[in-house]
Amino acid sequence: MPLVDRLRTTRLDAALALAFTVAGLVQLVAFPFASPFVGAVYVLGSTLPLAWRRTHPVESSLVSSAFWLVPLDGYPVLGFVVVLLQFFALGHRGEPRLAVGLVTGWAAAASAIGTLLGPELPVAAVGGVLVVVAPVLAGRLVRHQQLQNQALASLTRQLREERSRAEEAAVGAERARIAQELHDVVGHEVTHIAIQAEAAAAALRVAPERAAEPVEAIRTTAHRTMAEIREVLDVLSPLDEARVTAPESLVALTDRARSLGVPNTLEVTGTPAADQSPADLALHRIVRECLTNAGRHAPGEPLSLRVDWQPGEVVLTAANRAECAGRAEGAEGPDSPAGVRPGRGLTGVRHRAELLGGTFHAACREGRFEVRVTIPTDHRGAP
């Protein structure tokens, strides 16, 4: 209990104890129930410990009940109220449990003996025991309920915090997803724009009339990029993305990349199964990423693409010559070839494959950088 609350509690209990003590002394003078000295000792000893009933419940109950063994010719009228308050506090706030039990047993015995020493009939000793045990049990019950309420409040707070963390994680995941989608679209198209811009600049220096074609390609690519960005922003909901189809076939995608200066070959084997939009979309995005990386990190080097549709899965293999110096032959990982800062590209490829339950491998072998992706075709989730 905080010090300020402890002082406030002690002050209130002290005032209550003083009031009951004064009432007992007034009764002793008006309606004596013992000799003045004995009665005063009984009232002071059994009532004043009430001031510490909530701060030191075990000790105050033990001291208070000790004075019940003083023989009397009667009892203070408010003495039973003092007992109820004192031993309810013992049950409610007393610790440890063993000490509470021992003090309760002692007080019940003292109450029974004190009753037998007084003017009451022996059967009244049962009431003397009950007046001690009942408030202790009531206090323990209230304590149990309060602890349960505190546990529920703590659990509610934890659930609220967990939900808040989950919402923050969902927002972070959605941001990462948006960034990945925009990277897939913008990175691919901007790479093509850069290639055509270099071609246009070279043409302007040598034969200006030949610059018209790459400039037109830049204009077309820019418009297509804007349209694809709008499409990405419109379909970022997981419920909608499964209905998205690739904006163009793999053949058209590779043909366009080839016309924009990214040499490549595409070989497709097997027959795609019907209704494979998640796998189709993921495959389209991964092929586009491979073309983008080839144009950015190995310009002029032909990229070999092989798509093999098999029962239950589709396997994509992309390979081209790359500078692998400083990278162990056969080493696998999601990074770009040596000398290239790792970015979102291959990490996004791995994410798309694993999200659909597939696999991803990237490695340098014999001077070639190879990416191999396997995607299950029976998955119904969004890529």
Side-chain angles (χ1 to χ4, degrees), residues 126-137:
V126 177
V129 173
L130 290 177
V131 80
V132 172
V133 175
V136 171
L137 294 178

Side-chain angles (χ1 to χ4, degrees), residues 90-148:
L90 175 65
H92 185 223
R93 294 176 177 266
E95 285 293 341
R97 184 178 301 178
L98 177 60
V100 173
L102 292 175
V103 171
T104 301
W106 154 256
S111 178
I113 294 173
T115 301
L116 294 176
L117 294 176
E120 300 290 336
L121 296 174
V123 72
V126 177
V129 173
L130 290 177
V131 80
V132 172
V133 175
V136 171
L137 294 178
R140 299 308 290 185
L141 179 61
V142 171
R143 176 189 178 89
H144 177 71
Q145 290 297 115
Q146 288 181 343
L147 291 177
Q148 279 193 328

Side-chain angles (χ1 to χ4, degrees), residues 16-60:
L16 185 65
L18 181 60
F20 279 111
T21 301
V22 171
L25 293 176
V26 169
Q27 179 186 347
L28 177 63
V29 173
F31 307 96
F33 48 82
S35 65
F37 176 76
V38 173
V41 169
Y42 179 87
V43 171
L44 293 174
S46 63
T47 307
L48 285 180
L50 202 64
W52 297 277
R53 68 187 182 97
R54 287 188 286 182
T55 55
H56 298 86
V58 174
E59 295 85 347
S60 62

Side-chain angles (χ1 to χ4, degrees), residues 286-302:
I286 292 172
V287 169
R288 183 163 60 179
E289 183 59 40
C290 291
L291 291 168
T292 300
N293 285 344
R296 181 181 299 164
H297 302 310
E301 294 291 342

Side-chain angles (χ1 to χ4, degrees), residues 147-157:
L147 291 177
Q148 279 193 328
N149 291 339
Q150 292 173 4
L152 288 175
S154 176
L155 179 60
T156 301
R157 183 168 54 255

Side-chain angles (χ1 to χ4, degrees), residues 24-269:
L25 293 176
V26 169
Q27 179 186 347
L28 177 63
V29 173
F31 307 96
F33 48 82
S35 65
F37 176 76
V38 173
V41 169
Y42 179 87
V43 171
L44 293 174
S46 63
T47 307
L48 285 180
L50 202 64
W52 297 277
R53 68 187 182 97
R54 287 188 286 182
T55 55
H56 298 86
V58 174
E59 295 85 347
S60 62
S61 298
L62 183 62
V63 171
S64 175
S65 59
F67 286 88
W68 297 350
L69 297 176
V70 175
L72 302 174
D73 296 329
Y75 297 98
V77 175
L78 298 179
F80 291 103
V81 178
V82 173
V83 174
L84 292 175
L85 293 176
Q86 179 68 65
F87 283 87
F88 178 83
L90 175 65
H92 185 223
R93 294 176 177 266
E95 285 293 341
R97 184 178 301 178
L98 177 60
V100 173
L102 292 175
V103 171
T104 301
W106 154 256
S111 178
I113 294 173
T115 301
L116 294 176
L117 294 176
E120 300 290 336
L121 296 174
V123 72
V126 177
V129 173
L130 290 177
V131 80
V132 172
V133 175
V136 171
L137 294 178
R140 299 308 290 185
L141 179 61
V142 171
R143 176 189 178 89
H144 177 71
Q145 290 297 115
Q146 288 181 343
L147 291 177
Q148 279 193 328
N149 291 339
Q150 292 173 4
L152 288 175
S154 176
L155 179 60
T156 301
R157 183 168 54 255
Q158 292 176 6
L159 290 175
R160 189 181 301 114
E161 293 173 355
E162 184 65 26
R163 182 176 63 183
S164 177
R165 286 193 293 268
E167 291 175 352
E168 292 176 359
V171 170
E174 189 65 13
R175 288 176 177 173
R177 186 175 176 221
I178 292 173
Q180 184 63 54
E181 293 290 344
L182 292 178
H183 170 272
D184 290 346
V185 172
V186 177
H188 177 74
E189 302 297 353
V190 170
T191 298
H192 288 171
I193 290 175
I195 293 173
Q196 292 301 314
E198 293 175 359
L204 287 173
R205 289 192 297 269
V206 179
E209 67 278 1
R210 297 175 58 185
E213 183 177 349
V215 169
E216 177 61 22
I218 291 174
R219 185 188 70 81
T220 303
T221 303
H223 283 293
R224 183 171 55 251
T225 302
M226 293 176 61
E228 291 194 20
I229 290 175
R230 284 194 295 268
E231 178 186 353
V232 167
L233 295 177
D234 288 340
V235 300
L236 280 174
S237 170
L239 295 177
D240 294 335
E241 191 177 24
R243 297 192 295 268
V244 177
T245 57
E248 56 187 335
S249 67
L250 292 180
V251 174
L253 177 64
T254 54
D255 287 345
R256 183 165 61 85
R258 196 177 302 112
S259 67
L260 294 175
V262 181
N264 66 85
T265 59
L266 174 65
E267 180 183 357
V268 180
T269 60

